[in-house]
Amino acid sequence: MSDKLLSPRELSDLYQHVYETRSRNGGTRLLMYRPLFALVAPEDPDVGALCSVGNNALTVMPDGTLYPCRRLPIPIGNILVNGLFSVWYNSELLWKVRNPDNFKGKCRNCDLFTSCRGCRAMAYSCSGDYMAEDPQCWR
């Protein structure tokens, strides 16, 4: 479905519009905790979020299967069989994503790397490589 994705320019325009709407309407609560939001307002601490893969979250399915992200369909273990601690500290995929030297393309040397890292699920979806650059990044 990569032909259905917003282009980098379209996503930039959308994120900019969302940011401006929130800024104009102080009472409007809009969460902007996606990695590429960091590109909209790098100086704003309430905008953007580091990709959670290998960083601060996992997805647990009803059968116990663990995924690195709700959008990244690569099973990395099972909480009922392996336990959370074991998967978090022994997953090759998670350790690969934790190492900045493994990133590819423009993500690798981006000055916003520590506040973004791009979306690993989008990279995987479009290239088959979760370490590739985020295809929707407009930088």
Side-chain angles (χ1 to χ4, degrees), residues 53-54 93-100 103 117 120 130-131:
V53 173
L93 184 151
L94 296 181
W95 281 112
K96 189 172 182 182
V97 173
R98 290 173 184 144
N99 183 345
F103 283 76
R117 293 191 181 197
R120 301 300 91 221
Y130 56 86
M131 298 308 298

Side-chain angles (χ1 to χ4, degrees), residues 24-137:
R24 278 194 313 271
N25 305 319
T28 303
R29 186 167 190 257
L30 296 170
L31 297 179
M32 292 177 278
Y33 300 143
R34 302 281 312 136
L36 294 180
F37 262 119
L39 279 64
V40 173
E43 69 291 342
D44 187 337
D46 296 327
V47 178
L50 186 64
C51 175
S52 64
V53 173
N55 186 39
N56 62 13
L58 289 174
T59 297
V60 183
M61 300 306 290
D63 68 355
T65 301
L66 293 167
Y67 292 95
C69 165
R70 65 182 175 83
R71 298 173 60 201
L72 185 55
I74 303 172
I76 57 173
N78 187 293
I79 197 167
L80 302 173
V81 175
N82 312 105
L84 183 61
F85 185 89
S86 178
V87 173
W88 185 255
Y89 289 104
N90 295 311
S91 167
E92 182 179 332
L93 184 151
L94 296 181
W95 281 112
K96 189 172 182 182
V97 173
R98 290 173 184 144
N99 183 345
D101 294 336
N102 292 326
F103 283 76
K104 299 174 183 172
K106 58 187 170 184
C107 287
R108 183 182 180 113
N109 295 311
C110 182
D111 61 321
L112 294 176
F113 182 81
T114 57
S115 59
C116 177
R117 293 191 181 197
C119 176
R120 301 300 91 221
M122 288 304 299
Y124 181 75
S125 174
C126 292
S127 72
D129 181 357
Y130 56 86
M131 298 308 298
E133 65 185 50
D134 185 326
Q136 289 187 303
C137 180

